[in-house]
Each structure stands twice: as structure tokens, then as C-alpha cells.
Amino acid sequence: MPAPLAFYFDFISPYGYFASLRIDELAARHGRAVDWRPMLLGVAVLKVMGLKPLLDTPLKGDYIRQDVRRQARRLGIRLGRDLHASVGNPLPPARAFYWVKQHQPQLAVPLAHALFHAFWAEGRDLSTPEAVAGIELPAGLDADALAAGAASDEAATLLRTAVAASIQAGIFGSPTVVVDDEPFWGADRLRDVDEWLACGGW
Amino acid sequence: MPAPLAFYFDFISPYGYFASLRIDELAARHGRAVDWRPMLLGVAVLKVMGLKPLLDTPLKGDYIRQDVRRQARRLGIRLGRDLHASVGNPLPPARAFYWVKQHQPQLAVPLAHALFHAFWAEGRDLSTPEAVAGIELPAGLDADALAAGAASDEAATLLRTAVAASIQAGIFGSPTVVVDDEPFWGADRLRDVDEWLACGGW
């Protein structure tokens, strides 16, 4: 059995959202599973790399807003978010994910899709455990338990451990897909991932 | 006659080099010319955006070195440069380009190819006007005149004006291709440029 692809992303990343819509299908075509691993751009970009948030960077912020709208049009995705609005606190959705992965692992990826959809297609705020629990949840997830789970010390520890591991693995951007030991950063590199899996690398 | 594509790049950018090998052929397939416009990452990234040099950025620097080697393998390009070595002073090659564009415009693009090849395939230093004039030059370019031209106030002014215009146009990365008013940043977006030209945009 070949190793799953590691799919690193932040829920506040539009390119992470775009990749989330295609990664499972892409991997399945090559007989691979996907290990979904939320990370935090706030740790990788701001703390470790010492950069500004992407959308607050002069010149680049304007380009990225234009490019995100263009990519969304091309993929036929409706964006329900003002790209100038604050992304809010990225911790609750990521903590909710790891808490569910720990306790109801088969629901973790459906929750990730629901979180991405709520944030990017519906423009909802996910800044609190209650807001996270208030989205349309996958069947089988209890909203009250999820709110409590996302607010728990356990969830905070799970996320902290996962983020430290992502930094240790050299992950700095969302999305990053690691195929065996080969990292590919950027939603526009999914085609490279596809070709790499098809031909075994170059 | 449709407008030429604007091709912005820095000679010290490996992704600019990769794009330089394909942009004219790509544009020609769509009946377009290319306007080659060297810019300075040192101005856009360091001064205007306030970021670090790409290869000096934690995590990202290592990834970029790995990715550049991987892209080169895929494109069948031999890189003759140590990616940890200093890129040197980026001004002389860019000034030489604009000086030639002013005085022997038909030789500007051949010179750009020669500069990219000398820097990336041969690993030569281009940090002085003499070093620039010492590469294998396109037929018709006089080495002594080029060295003097690259060192001239006129060349410095031409580059300064071009760089200011690139910042004014919102250009921050190398390569960036502008199709009509639509900017595409990154060598991996040449496929998007191709599709945009083929279908008229989306």
C-alpha cells in the first residue's frame, strides 16, 4: 500500500480551499489516500518566516485578491467572502478538526469540507468554537460536543503538536501536498502532483 | 494587431530564466509579440513589499532550492549555479539590457537570453559591466561598447525608469506576464497564460 499524500492547509487560505475540492479525487486516481493536516499560516508565515500576512503585503495583496477571484471563476466556485475582510481567528476550525480526527476520525474530512464551504462559499465567521459548531455539520457530529471539543485543552494540544510537526517538516504554505518525500507548494502545483504520481517522479 | 505580452523578470530569478525559455514561443502561437521588461526584485520585494530575499526566507528558501532543481530536471535544463551562492549585483545585466534596447533594440532579447544562459547555465558572475560584457554576446554587440553602456548614467536612468514603471504597474514577482490587463505571476502560470490567450479569458 503506497503512503497517503500529506495535504497541509489552513482553513483561512483560499488556495487551500481550491485544493481541498480536488485533492481526494486526484489521489484516488493514483490509488492513494490523503492525510488532511491543517496547519497555521500565522505560525509558519508570521512567526517562523517573519513575513507579513499575504493579503496585507503591498502589491502582492492586490494581485492575490485578483487571482483568487480569477481562479474561482475558472473552477466555477462562488466565493461568498469579501477578500478585504478580516479572516478572524484561525484556531477554532483547526482545533475542531483535530478534535474530531481524534474522536470520530471518519468525520474529520467531511468536517473539513464543511468548514471550508462555510468560510469561503458562505462567508461565515469561524472565529469561535460556537461559530464552528453553528455551521451545517456532517451527519453524526453533535454541535454541542463539537463546540466543547473545539474549546478543550485537548484540541489546543492536538493542534499545537500538529503545527509543530508541520514546521518541522518544512511546511510554510497552504496548500502543500507531500508525495512520499516530495513537497509541492501551491494550488497551481496540483497538476505537478498529478504528473509526479503518474510517472513516479523526474 | 493585439498588444504584446509584457514579460517582467529579474535576471537573478531562476523562475524568470525558466519562463524566458518559453515565453516567445508561447506568445507566437497566439500571434502575440513579447515586450521583455527586466525589473528588480531587490526593489519590489525588499523595499516596496518589505520582505526578505526569497532564498534567505526560513523554510521557503530550502523549498525553493529543491523546487528549482526539480523544475530544471523536468525542463531538461542544466543549472550551473550553486543555489546557495550570492546572486551578486543585479544592476549591471538589467542596465545592459535597457541600454541595448535603446541603441540596438533588435539585439535586446538575444542579449537577455545570453545573460540568462551565462548566469544560470554557466554560473557566471554578472556583477559588473565588465563581467556582463565578457559573456558570449549576440553577433553585432560590441563588448567594449556594452561595458561602457552598462556603466553609463543613461543606462542607470533607463533602468530606474523601467523599475518605477513596473512597481507602478503592481509588478512584484519574477516572472510576471501581463496579457492585456491581466497579470499572471509565476513560471507555473505560463499554462494559464496559454489558456487565457487561447480562450480569451474567463
Side-chain angles (χ1 to χ4, degrees):
Chain A
M1 216 14 219
L5 309 190
F7 172 46
Y8 294 93
F9 61 92
D10 190 327
F11 288 108
I12 64 168
S13 157
Y15 297 107
Y17 174 50
F18 297 155
S20 76
L21 298 171
R22 295 181 288 158
I23 188 67
D24 281 323
E25 180 272 328
L26 187 165
R29 272 193 282 110
H30 300 282
R32 300 277 192 135
V34 180
D35 185 8
W36 290 52
R37 300 184 185 177
M39 44 78 80
L40 293 176
L41 290 172
V43 173
V45 175
L46 277 59
K47 291 193 187 166
V48 178
M49 298 163 82
L51 308 181
K52 300 181 233 292
L54 188 57
L55 291 174
D56 297 347
T57 306
L59 306 182
K60 202 169 188 174
D62 287 336
Y63 174 80
I64 295 296
R65 274 181 282 269
Q66 178 177 359
D67 185 59
V68 164
R69 291 190 196 101
R70 179 169 64 192
Q71 296 292 321
R73 286 199 307 274
R74 187 192 205 180
L75 298 168
I77 294 169
R78 194 185 65 84
L79 287 183
R81 258 195 111 64
D82 174 3
L83 296 176
H84 286 277
S86 163
V87 292
N89 181 357
L91 297 174
R95 287 176 176 167
F97 175 91
Y98 282 111
W99 187 82
V100 169
K101 190 177 180 183
Q102 185 76 6
H103 295 283
Q104 294 176 277
Q106 76 287 3
L107 294 180
V109 172
L111 174 65
H113 282 297
L115 289 165
F116 266 132
H117 184 81
F119 193 76
W120 286 107
E122 299 177 352
R124 294 178 68 123
D125 173 73
L126 300 179
S127 286
T128 65
E130 292 70 29
V132 164
I135 70 168
E136 188 166 340
L137 295 173
L141 265 189
D142 178 75
D144 290 342
L146 182 64
S152 67
D153 288 345
E154 182 192 11
T157 301
L158 288 168
L159 176 59
R160 200 178 305 114
T161 304
V163 168
S166 74
I167 298 293
Q168 191 62 37
I171 306 303
F172 59 91
S174 168
T176 300
V177 177
V178 183
V179 183
D180 305 323
D181 285 328
E182 200 75 22
F184 294 87
W185 164 53
D188 41 10
R189 291 300 183 89
L190 287 189
R191 287 181 285 201
D192 287 7
V193 171
D194 202 10
E195 290 170 31
W196 188 275
L197 285 165
C199 73
W202 56 80
Chain B
M1 217 12 220
L5 310 190
F7 173 46
Y8 294 93
F9 61 92
D10 190 327
F11 287 108
I12 65 168
S13 157
Y15 297 106
Y17 174 49
F18 297 155
S20 76
L21 298 171
R22 295 181 286 157
I23 189 66
D24 281 323
E25 180 274 327
L26 188 165
R29 273 194 281 109
H30 299 282
R32 299 277 192 135
V34 181
D35 186 7
W36 290 52
R37 300 183 185 177
M39 45 78 79
L40 293 175
L41 290 172
V43 173
V45 174
L46 277 59
K47 291 194 187 165
V48 178
M49 297 164 83
L51 307 181
K52 299 182 233 293
L54 188 58
L55 291 174
D56 297 346
T57 305
L59 306 182
K60 203 168 187 174
D62 287 336
Y63 173 80
I64 295 296
R65 273 182 283 270
Q66 178 175 359
D67 185 59
V68 164
R69 292 188 196 102
R70 180 169 63 193
Q71 296 293 321
R73 286 199 308 274
R74 187 193 206 178
L75 298 168
I77 294 168
R78 194 185 66 85
L79 287 184
R81 256 195 114 64
D82 174 3
L83 297 176
H84 286 277
S86 163
V87 292
N89 180 358
L91 296 174
R95 287 176 176 167
F97 175 91
Y98 282 111
W99 186 82
V100 169
K101 189 176 179 184
Q102 184 77 6
H103 295 284
Q104 294 176 277
Q106 76 287 3
L107 294 179
V109 171
L111 174 64
H113 282 298
L115 289 165
F116 265 132
H117 184 81
F119 193 77
W120 286 107
E122 299 178 352
R124 293 179 68 121
D125 173 73
L126 300 179
S127 285
T128 64
E130 292 69 30
V132 165
I135 70 168
E136 189 166 338
L137 295 173
L141 265 189
D142 179 74
D144 290 341
L146 183 64
S152 67
D153 289 345
E154 182 193 10
T157 301
L158 288 168
L159 176 59
R160 199 178 305 116
T161 303
V163 169
S166 74
I167 298 294
Q168 190 62 37
I171 306 303
F172 60 91
S174 169
T176 301
V177 177
V178 183
V179 183
D180 306 324
D181 286 329
E182 200 74 22
F184 293 86
W185 165 53
D188 41 12
R189 292 299 183 88
L190 288 190
R191 287 181 285 201
D192 287 8
V193 171
D194 203 9
E195 291 171 31
W196 188 276
L197 285 165
C199 72
W202 56 80

